[in-house]
Amino acid sequence: MNRSGMVIVLSGFSGAGKGTIMKHLLSDYPGKYHLSVSATTRGKRQGEEDGREYFFKTKEEFEDMIRNHELLEYASFNQNYYGTPKAYVDRLLSEGKDVILEIEVQGALQIKKIFPQALLLFVTPPDGATLKERLEGRGTEEAEVVLQRLAIASRESLLMEQYDYIIVNDDLDRAVHSVHHLIQAEHERAMRNTDFINKIQNELSVFSKGENE
Amino acid sequence: MNRSGMVIVLSGFSGAGKGTIMKHLLSDYPGKYHLSVSATTRGKRQGEEDGREYFFKTKEEFEDMIRNHELLEYASFNQNYYGTPKAYVDRLLSEGKDVILEIEVQGALQIKKIFPQALLLFVTPPDGATLKERLEGRGTEEAEVVLQRLAIASRESLLMEQYDYIIVNDDLDRAVHSVHHLIQAEHERAMRNTDFINKIQNELSVFSKGENE
């Protein structure tokens, strides 16, 4: 069977818990999944390491990467660039690894255009009220910021149909295992295994000839 | 999330072990899956029960079912009819149950036309040589019969691409769990959860309006 690497995009509402799912996925299934490391122009914070949290770039370097088409997608937040370096993802894929990109909805749809076989997962709480509670429950955000995030969530929700799977994060353990199993199942998709199908068709074709003798 | 019933079609080469996978699936996950019972005109054998192994019908009754469109698919083998009664499958689906149909390739593609959201699984050994060995290994078949089955397998292999998933039965336990997990994953497909998506879009839309005030 085909165990060539797969691009997996994990998106979802702010507050849906995709970061936590990701963390558990990497620790519960060590070596199975590889996190794409983004490039950014924002400053390195205490404890961060170049190539681990981010690839830290100057504005000039980042804009060179844009010009040279070295990014799969990029966006700008708070006057800083964030993007997904193509070379890093390509290398992991060529090693047969499943690469997970944690990116927001617009970026996710850009990725789908570049890798039509990318698997798009959308993480959501079970309902809108729960999302509101979770955002308020963080306690660190002002009411205004919570409302802004809910407005963004509302816009993002209109693109959920373009995802392959919807992950309802009502129970963290269940959600993590569900993500793992659906990625594994995806490797068995017929459309991802045309080489295998062609091989067995060839092997069996000798008996088909025998039939016509 | 959508837990409405799903039609699952299990096909595969004769000798690939789909019957064994089915048996283990039903016993390893009790109550999770429901086997569609076929109608047939062949005589009831010792130990068989009407409605368990088959719905036993006379030729006239079966042909009435054909005329009245009461069968999802049917075929004739050794001068006996075999078919899938629509009413029985519909009842299981309306109860939210996942219904598994174990049918051959032509029938499977008929089912896909009636239920476009049916999940089509194809069971295969890892290669052609293994299939030949397994068919010979049964020891009960003459060489001629084995060759006929391989010729049929060769023809069937040309339709594998039309299936959703390819299940390589190289390890029974792995194959059984893999079938279970991919059916469960399939329930989380975005296209099977448009009701859920619409609900959360609605719930969040109030915050979107707030944004425009």
Side-chain angles (χ1 to χ4, degrees), chain A residues 23-143:
Chain A
K23 215 179 89 187
H24 283 256
L25 197 63
L26 294 174
S27 66
D28 288 6
Y29 303 98
K32 276 265 178 202
Y33 304 110
H34 298 266
L35 192 53
S36 160
V37 177
S38 297
T40 185
T41 55
R42 85 146 165 76
K44 188 166 27 169
R45 291 178 191 154
Q46 184 96 36
E48 288 184 339
E49 218 172 83
D50 187 52
R52 192 179 64 189
E53 282 79 11
Y54 287 99
F55 294 111
F56 294 99
K57 303 285 175 189
T58 64
K59 189 160 178 272
E60 291 65 38
E61 286 170 335
F62 200 100
E63 289 177 345
D64 275 348
M65 293 178 82
I66 297 174
R67 262 190 299 277
N68 298 331
H69 305 285
E70 291 171 23
L71 297 167
L72 290 171
E73 56 83 38
Y74 70 94
S76 164
F77 298 112
N78 295 325
Q79 296 165 334
N80 282 311
Y81 284 123
Y82 295 82
T84 304
K86 190 171 181 306
Y88 186 70
V89 171
D90 282 347
R91 183 166 65 74
L92 290 170
L93 288 178
S94 73
E95 291 167 4
K97 290 176 176 161
D98 287 343
V99 191
I100 307 188
L101 281 59
E102 189 190 330
I103 44 180
E104 44 65 60
V105 176
Q106 294 295 344
L109 300 179
Q110 286 183 49
I111 295 291
K112 187 75 182 177
K113 280 185 194 155
I114 302 169
F115 297 106
Q117 292 211 338
L119 187 67
L120 266 53
L121 314 182
F122 193 96
V123 181
T124 174
D127 50 53
T130 307
L131 183 63
K132 188 162 177 279
E133 272 166 38
R134 287 197 198 162
L135 287 170
E136 288 169 346
R138 288 181 173 181
T140 54
E141 317 282 15
E142 290 174 33

Side-chain angles (χ1 to χ4, degrees), chain B residues 2 5 10 15 17 27 30 40 42 57 59 81 101 138 155 178:
Chain B
N2 170 22
L10 197 70
S27 65
T40 185
R42 85 144 165 75
K57 303 286 175 188
K59 188 159 180 269
Y81 284 123
L101 280 59
R138 287 179 174 182
R155 264 180 283 139
S178 164

Side-chain angles (χ1 to χ4, degrees), chain B residues 114-131:
Chain B
I114 302 169
F115 296 107
Q117 292 211 338
L119 187 68
L120 266 54
L121 314 182
F122 194 96
V123 181
T124 173
D127 51 53
T130 307
L131 182 63

Side-chain angles (χ1 to χ4, degrees), chain B residues 14-173:
Chain B
S14 169
K18 54 185 185 301
T20 314
I21 288 178
M22 190 75 133
K23 216 179 87 189
H24 283 257
L25 197 63
L26 295 174
S27 65
D28 288 6
Y29 303 98
K32 275 265 179 204
Y33 304 109
H34 298 265
L35 192 53
S36 160
V37 176
S38 298
T40 185
T41 55
R42 85 144 165 75
K44 188 164 30 168
R45 291 178 190 153
Q46 184 95 37
E48 288 184 338
E49 217 172 84
D50 187 53
R52 194 179 62 191
E53 281 79 11
Y54 286 100
F55 294 111
F56 294 98
K57 303 286 175 188
T58 65
K59 188 159 180 269
E60 291 67 35
E61 287 170 335
F62 200 101
E63 290 178 344
D64 275 349
M65 292 178 82
I66 297 174
R67 261 191 299 277
N68 298 331
H69 306 285
E70 292 171 21
L71 296 168
L72 290 171
E73 56 84 35
Y74 70 95
S76 165
F77 298 111
N78 295 326
Q79 294 165 337
N80 282 310
Y81 284 123
Y82 295 81
T84 305
K86 190 171 181 307
Y88 185 72
V89 171
D90 282 347
R91 183 165 65 73
L92 289 170
L93 288 178
S94 72
E95 291 167 4
K97 290 176 175 161
D98 286 344
V99 189
I100 306 187
L101 280 59
E102 188 190 331
I103 44 182
E104 43 64 60
V105 177
Q106 293 297 343
L109 300 179
Q110 287 183 48
I111 295 291
K112 188 77 182 175
K113 280 184 193 154
I114 302 169
F115 296 107
Q117 292 211 338
L119 187 68
L120 266 54
L121 314 182
F122 194 96
V123 181
T124 173
D127 51 53
T130 307
L131 182 63
K132 188 161 178 282
E133 271 166 37
R134 286 197 199 162
L135 286 170
E136 288 169 345
R138 287 179 174 182
T140 54
E141 318 282 16
E142 290 174 30
E144 184 63 22
V145 175
V146 169
L147 283 176
Q148 272 170 21
R149 299 210 162 171
L150 287 166
I152 292 171
S154 175
R155 264 180 283 139
E156 289 175 338
S157 74
L158 301 178
L159 299 166
M160 285 170 80
E161 272 112 341
Q162 300 191 44
Y163 279 71
D164 294 303
Y165 290 98
I166 305 297
I167 314 298
V168 176
N169 186 13
D170 47 0
D171 174 304
L172 179 63
D173 250 17

Side-chain angles (χ1 to χ4, degrees), chain A residues 128 157 164 178 188 190 201 203, chain B residues 128 157 164 178 188 190 201 203:
Chain A
S157 75
D164 293 303
S178 165
E188 308 193 38
Q201 284 171 342
E203 290 166 355
Chain B
S157 74
D164 294 303
S178 164
E188 308 192 41
Q201 284 171 342
E203 291 167 356

